[in-house]
Amino acid sequence: MEKTFLMVKPDGVQRGLIGEIVKRFEQKGFQLVAGKLMVISREQAEYHYAEHKGKPFYEDLVSFITSGPVFAMVWQGDQVIALSRLMMGKTNTLDAQPGTIRGDFAVHTGMNLIHGSDSPESAEREINNFFKPEEIAGYDKVL
Ligand code: CMP
């Protein structure tokens, strides 16, 4: 079963959108297998955003993601990586279509509410950055 790492960013937590965001993925038919509210360390943020190091927005990005609690999650389901990114909407909020999370709730590209892994390799790396294997629940025995 494919897994992805999704994270409600500090703006989403502060605006009280955790429930709305979780609801959308539950209603789509995906399963939440791990979730925790946490403040990310600078080290974790730098590892998470390593591919953006050197870009003009990198420092703001690391400051923002460490500025307050995030809600880190692991979800599973068929094609959950690609489908969850469709549900999130494009990074640039001007391109995020209505009906998507960013299209419905975000105005700024830097504060775009949610992060989602963009490939199986990123998902594995990001899940391991935020969760220990024993924190990920298995549904296999009940379904
Ligand atoms: P995300 O896709 O989660 O990961 C990279 C983040 O960088 C992106 O969301 C945005 O929140 C942030 N960001 C800020 N400014 C820019 C920009 N100009 N282009 C792309 N991403 C940006």
Side-chain angles (χ1 to χ4, degrees), residues 16-74:
L17 289 171
I18 294 173
E20 170 67 33
I21 290 170
V22 167
K23 185 186 79 175
R24 287 181 178 222
F25 293 108
E26 284 183 328
Q27 289 183 343
K28 179 73 174 173
F30 296 130
Q31 287 178 325
L32 182 64
V33 291
K36 60 182 167 186
L37 192 74
M38 61 190 289
V39 178
I40 305 183
S41 66
R42 168 125 199 147
E43 191 182 26
Q44 249 172 337
E46 286 182 352
Y47 183 77
H48 180 71
Y49 284 130
E51 67 179 287
H52 298 295
K53 197 170 170 84
K55 293 185 182 168
F57 56 86
Y58 176 76
E59 278 307 322
D60 286 346
L61 184 57
V62 171
S63 301
F64 169 60
I65 208 71
T66 55
S67 66
V70 300
F71 191 63
M73 300 169 280
V74 181

Side-chain angles (χ1 to χ4, degrees), residues 9 49 52 57 61 91 102 109-110 112 114-115:
K9 297 182 182 184
Y49 284 130
H52 298 295
F57 56 86
L61 184 57
T91 299
R102 290 167 172 165
T109 297
N112 58 8
I114 181 163
H115 167 86

Side-chain angles (χ1 to χ4, degrees), residues 58-128:
Y58 176 76
E59 278 307 322
D60 286 346
L61 184 57
V62 171
S63 301
F64 169 60
I65 208 71
T66 55
S67 66
V70 300
F71 191 63
M73 300 169 280
V74 181
W75 288 82
Q76 73 179 15
D78 289 340
Q79 302 192 79
V80 67
I81 297 173
L83 287 172
S84 59
R85 284 180 66 88
L86 273 182
M87 291 167 66
M88 286 162 45
K90 299 276 189 199
T91 299
N92 183 335
T93 48
L94 281 176
D95 298 326
Q97 297 297 308
T100 65
I101 292 166
R102 290 167 172 165
D104 288 349
F105 299 111
V107 173
H108 302 290
T109 297
M111 291 198 289
N112 58 8
L113 298 171
I114 181 163
H115 167 86
S117 308
D118 61 5
S119 67
E121 295 74 28
S122 304
E124 189 179 353
R125 187 170 160 278
E126 293 170 1
I127 290 169
N128 289 333

